[in-house]
Amino acid sequence: MSCCIVIAVMNVRLRIRDLREDNNISQQAVAKFLQCDQSLYSKYERGERELPLRYAVALAEYYKVNLDYLVGRTNQRALIPNK
């Protein structure tokens, strides 16, 4: 795994955990939203599994944040306006 990919995985795992905790949401609730097992979602947060793009997009919409924020490309949350 290249250095950039490792950094990206680390940023995603930290951001998805922080967003979940900041919103007082359980891993089980997020896993249910993504339609996956809680144990699998936990692996995304721990960086043991790479978060699929479809889940990253879904989580960015769920938390109303910019996808670039979710993957650590920016520190600006840039809330997504309601559709």
Side-chain angles (χ1 to χ4, degrees), residues 47-66:
E48 293 176 11
R49 296 279 304 265
E50 188 173 335
L51 184 69
L53 179 59
R54 65 187 167 116
Y55 286 170
V57 170
L59 288 173
E61 291 179 3
Y62 183 71
Y63 292 119
K64 295 180 176 43
V65 297
N66 187 310

Side-chain angles (χ1 to χ4, degrees), residues 9-26:
V9 169
M10 290 176 60
N11 287 337
V12 169
R13 75 178 173 87
L14 293 173
R15 289 280 163 94
I16 63 174
R17 185 193 68 212
D18 289 347
L19 284 166
R20 180 182 60 75
E21 291 176 348
D22 288 350
N23 287 281
N24 296 315
I25 301 171
S26 69

Side-chain angles (χ1 to χ4, degrees), residues 22-79:
D22 288 350
N23 287 281
N24 296 315
I25 301 171
S26 69
Q27 284 186 346
Q28 184 67 36
V30 177
K32 183 176 180 179
F33 169 76
L34 295 175
Q35 299 179 340
C36 71
D37 291 332
Q38 181 273 328
S39 61
L40 176 60
Y41 178 76
S42 178
K43 289 177 183 179
Y44 297 141
E45 281 196 5
R46 292 193 313 264
E48 293 176 11
R49 296 279 304 265
E50 188 173 335
L51 184 69
L53 179 59
R54 65 187 167 116
Y55 286 170
V57 170
L59 288 173
E61 291 179 3
Y62 183 71
Y63 292 119
K64 295 180 176 43
V65 297
N66 187 310
L67 188 57
D68 282 342
Y69 174 80
L70 190 75
V71 299
R73 290 177 41 111
T74 181
N75 289 325
Q76 299 291 323
R77 286 187 179 208
L79 298 177

